[in-house]
Amino acid sequence: MARLNWGLIGGGEGSQIGPAHRLGAAVDGAFAFAAGALDHNAEAGRAFGRKLGLAADRSYGNWHEMLEGERARPDRIDLVTVATPNATHFEITKAFLEAGFHVLCEKPMTITVEEGEEIVRLSRATGRICAVNYGYTGYALVRHMRAMVARGDLGRIRLVVAEFAHGHHADAGDADNPRVRWRYDPAQAGVSAQFADCGIHALHMASFVTGQEVTRLSADTVSCIPSRVLEDDAMVNFRMDGGAVGRLWTSSVAIGRQHGLTLQVFGETGGLRWAQEQPNQLYWMPLRGRLQVIERGEAGLSPEADRASRVTMGHAEGMPLAFANIYRDLAEAILAQKEGRAANPAADLYPRAEDGLRSMAAIYAVAESGKAEGRWVDARPPMFR
């Protein structure tokens, strides 16, 4: 398979997310790290790029330089990842799509629903891929859950229970810590804090696994630490277009919880349970049967799970390899487009701009419902109503 050229914006030295993207893009050899604008400090970004092996003329000081530098190159990047602060995602993603590049954007894709609709329209009009990094959907057993639901193993889905709760912002003494404070400041974070940061991962995973979209929701949001303007805990009830009922809890003050992303799906003929902190096991309970533990890498799993599993059974496989599956999907999609063929169906699982838009609409719906003491509101973006 021919290697594709990849570029990264953001994710500089000391970044939490940068290493996961660099590892994920490199694992399968599908992408060569060719260009970057890695830091808001131009010189620091250029220096770090060179340290990582980028050519001096492709280690850029900012994304504007990178766009102009790559636009005219015969070996220009095939895919750019946007891993910058949230408020910059729309501008950068829009500019690169307009210039004909494929984009993988960190979530949230945009800050407003209107911006999200513009990105969806632009992606469709240009024929360029705009993916959103809901990276946890790259886990092999999450993909197997999706396959089990799609083939009818659970029958009609009745109930989905999703959680993403941690306790890392539970210390009120961190009120002035700049790494924490911005998340609860509307001027920097928008209309939502914890739901926009973590809750949308759980909500997207519920849709990804069930194949159903959220239509309306009711939210109870609270700032358990009174100095915070935005919520640090939320409970969301939702309804899906295929008839499933949903419950979602997300929190940043749940002391003792570490990562806390879990998903349970209950149907007419069986139930499934998966947790990100134990990603190698999927618990399956068929109706009138016995509880079974499905192990990642075992024989007889779905093509989607087999394709997403790299490490032999019994060994840990974590978040960077889940990210790698998103990159592997994108490589297949880009090559299929270049070669004028259909993509492998087992690889056609990367989250789209449409998913990013639905998440942004849900964020605004949760904020609206929370302020209205749980009033049920439409969770769909206007263009999908």
Side-chain angles (χ1 to χ4, degrees):
M1 182 174 69
R3 295 187 84 191
L4 299 166
N5 285 327
W6 172 65
L8 176 62
I9 301 173
E13 195 160 19
S15 161
Q16 289 182 313
I17 205 68
H21 279 291
R22 293 194 299 273
L23 288 167
V27 163
D28 295 301
F31 289 102
F33 185 24
L38 305 179
D39 200 290
H40 69 278
N41 180 301
E43 287 310 310
R46 290 189 184 102
F48 188 51
R50 292 193 296 271
K51 179 180 176 181
L52 293 175
L54 293 180
D57 66 336
R58 300 185 83 175
S59 186
Y60 299 98
N62 58 58
W63 71 264
H64 297 279
E65 285 183 11
M66 183 168 162
L67 179 61
E68 291 309 310
E70 292 297 310
R71 191 198 302 264
R73 293 183 68 102
D75 60 345
R76 62 188 252 167
I77 53 173
D78 296 284
L79 173 71
V80 61
T81 294
V82 179
T84 54
N86 296 355
T88 66
H89 290 179
F90 170 70
E91 180 185 17
I92 299 172
T93 297
K94 181 175 183 288
F96 275 83
L97 286 173
E98 288 175 334
F101 294 92
H102 300 295
V103 179
L104 170 60
C105 184
E106 265 298 332
K107 63 86 197 169
M109 183 177 73
T110 60
I111 293 297
T112 70
V113 175
E114 293 77 14
E115 289 175 347
E117 291 189 335
E118 186 172 348
I119 292 298
V120 168
R121 292 190 184 100
L122 183 58
S123 177
R124 291 174 177 179
T126 60
R128 300 294 89 181
I129 292 167
C130 180
V132 184
N133 191 41
Y134 292 109
Y136 302 114
T137 61
Y139 278 105
L141 290 182
V142 171
R143 295 183 168 202
H144 188 61
M145 290 176 80
R146 176 188 171 103
M148 290 181 70
V149 169
R151 71 192 185 196
D153 292 6
L154 284 74
R156 182 179 63 85
I157 302 304
R158 293 169 171 164
L159 176 64
V160 184
V161 180
E163 293 184 2
F164 198 154
H166 65 81
H168 301 303
H169 299 163
D171 187 350
D174 272 342
D176 292 324
N177 180 340
R179 292 179 66 89
V180 175
R181 185 181 59 217
W182 75 268
R183 297 177 184 273
Y184 303 92
D185 177 4
Q188 299 181 73
V191 299
S192 170
Q194 179 59 18
F195 184 79
D197 186 32
C198 295
I200 56 172
H201 275 296
L203 194 70
H204 175 262
M205 188 174 286
S207 289
F208 178 82
V209 168
T210 64
Q212 300 185 34
E213 301 294 348
V214 177
T215 57
R216 57 195 183 100
L217 59 79
S218 167
D220 179 21
T221 59
V222 64
S223 298
C224 292
I225 295 179
S227 62
R228 290 174 176 164
V229 177
L230 298 176
E231 88 287 348
D232 51 25
D233 188 278
M235 181 68 76
V236 181
N237 294 312
F238 58 93
R239 301 292 186 268
M240 308 186 84
D241 59 8
V245 173
R247 317 290 189 204
L248 187 154
W249 172 50
T250 185
S251 182
S252 64
V253 295
I255 296 174
R257 296 290 292 265
Q258 294 302 318
H259 186 272
L261 176 60
T262 66
L263 185 70
Q264 300 177 80
V265 181
F266 304 101
E268 295 172 316
T269 56
L272 292 166
R273 175 167 56 89
W274 179 86
Q276 197 271 163
E277 292 177 46
Q278 293 84 37
N280 279 0
Q281 287 82 40
L282 172 63
Y283 293 87
W284 161 235
M285 181 72 181
L287 182 67
R288 294 186 292 273
R290 300 185 66 178
L291 181 65
Q292 302 172 31
V293 181
I294 297 172
E295 292 280 349
R296 182 199 53 76
E298 69 181 37
L301 297 187
S302 60
E304 293 87 345
D306 290 341
R307 189 178 188 278
S309 185
R310 293 174 173 77
V311 180
T312 53
M313 183 177 170
H315 292 83
E317 191 169 288
M319 186 261 282
L321 291 185
F323 278 34
N325 284 327
I326 303 295
Y327 278 99
R328 194 180 186 194
D329 291 348
L330 287 168
E332 168 63 9
I334 293 169
L335 286 170
Q337 191 177 106
K338 283 175 175 281
E339 296 164 6
R341 59 173 175 82
N344 179 351
D348 192 24
L349 298 176
Y350 63 88
R352 267 71 166 174
E354 289 82 355
D355 298 301
L357 170 59
R358 290 184 187 278
S359 293
M360 186 50 57
I363 288 168
Y364 275 82
V366 165
E368 177 186 346
S369 178
K371 289 178 181 177
E373 298 185 334
R375 178 172 59 85
W376 283 87
V377 299
D378 197 323
R380 299 169 297 173
M383 71 182 296
F384 293 159
R385 292 179 187 176

